[in-house]
Amino acid sequence: MEREWTCRRGAQAATVEARSRAGRGGGFVALVAVAVLALFGGQSAMAQQSLDSRANPWSSYVADAATCPGADVVGGPVAVQVRSMSCLVNYARAKRGLRKLGSSPKLSQAARMKLEQIERCGVFDHAPCGGSPTAVADRVGYPGSFGENLYIGETTAGSAREALTEWLASPPHRRNMFSKSWRVRSLYATHVDALDGFVDATVWVAQFGDR
């Protein structure tokens, strides 16, 4: 069939601590392979797994279309896509018995700036232009701890539902979303014609913070 059904997708996750800020995720390719490298106190751990949403035991955590309208829409207004993703994230957290997350103006600014960096430097990474993954949060003056999930998907694979499904299927992304510490979230999405080997794709940034 059409190319979108080959679904080139990628995802990254990182958790950043407020004081000993460390965390880096790396890797993306098809169907989805995720490589995550987290650095804490000099130790490293890398996990790689194939994510097949059809065999995803977390699929019941993904809200249906009636609960979160617009979650399958690709290329619509950013505000509509973000509202759908917010609904999906809070639905999944509520099903897990966790608090729903409010918005954070500072983290929202940081998420937008991270996407601008990804577009400008053409790299799908937590530090797309080099430097620290925390640089944009530092720049906007966000004082707390936060976690960050990234996702990229071509054509229909770029919807909020697809991104949320893949995050749920990945242990490091799931841990980011389901942390009991989080109180706020920021979400942002953008369409790119071409980025890091992907074409006609949607890039998502999700950040979760404790204040």
Side-chain angles (χ1 to χ4, degrees):
M1 264 181 102
E2 295 180 2
R3 213 173 115 158
E4 61 262 34
W5 294 108
T6 64
C7 290
R8 286 173 55 87
R9 313 176 191 182
Q12 294 189 12
T15 300
V16 182
E17 297 300 327
R19 296 178 183 271
S20 58
R21 292 195 163 182
R24 180 99 190 260
F28 68 94
V29 254
L31 254 218
V32 175
V34 178
V36 177
L37 177 63
L39 302 176
F40 295 106
Q43 297 183 354
S44 67
M46 180 172 287
Q48 181 169 348
Q49 58 273 122
S50 174
L51 306 181
D52 183 349
S53 59
R54 292 171 297 178
N56 179 9
W58 296 89
S59 59
S60 65
Y61 283 69
V62 183
D64 60 24
T67 303
C68 294
D72 298 302
V73 174
V74 177
V78 172
V80 173
Q81 295 184 75
V82 167
R83 184 165 61 245
S84 297
M85 179 64 87
S86 178
C87 178
L88 290 171
V89 168
N90 279 330
Y91 178 91
R93 283 181 58 88
K95 191 172 179 64
R96 191 67 171 168
L98 300 169
R99 69 166 66 91
K100 293 185 177 182
L101 302 177
S103 62
S104 164
K106 287 186 181 297
L107 274 186
S108 294
Q109 186 179 358
R112 188 183 72 251
M113 291 170 65
K114 179 63 66 74
L115 264 183
E116 289 171 352
Q117 284 189 341
I118 290 172
E119 284 192 277
R120 184 172 68 254
C121 295
V123 179
F124 179 68
D125 193 81
H126 290 286
C129 301
S132 169
T134 71
V136 290
D138 293 337
R139 196 177 308 161
V140 301
Y142 179 75
S145 298
F146 70 98
E148 179 179 272
N149 285 354
L150 302 180
Y151 176 85
I152 185 169
E154 290 182 339
T155 61
T156 57
S159 71
R161 187 183 307 281
E162 289 286 336
L164 191 282
T165 297
E166 299 298 347
W167 286 338
L168 283 171
S170 163
H173 298 81
R174 196 167 60 241
R175 282 194 297 270
N176 260 353
M177 279 200 300
F178 287 162
S179 171
K180 295 179 180 179
S181 300
W182 305 146
R183 296 181 177 277
V184 296
R185 51 94 188 113
S186 65
L187 303 161
Y188 211 72
T190 193
H191 176 268
V192 292
D193 292 328
L195 177 75
D196 230 352
F198 291 83
V199 295
D200 190 14
T202 302
V203 185
W204 283 93
V205 174
Q207 294 178 338
F208 311 99
D210 64 355
R211 65 193 72 184

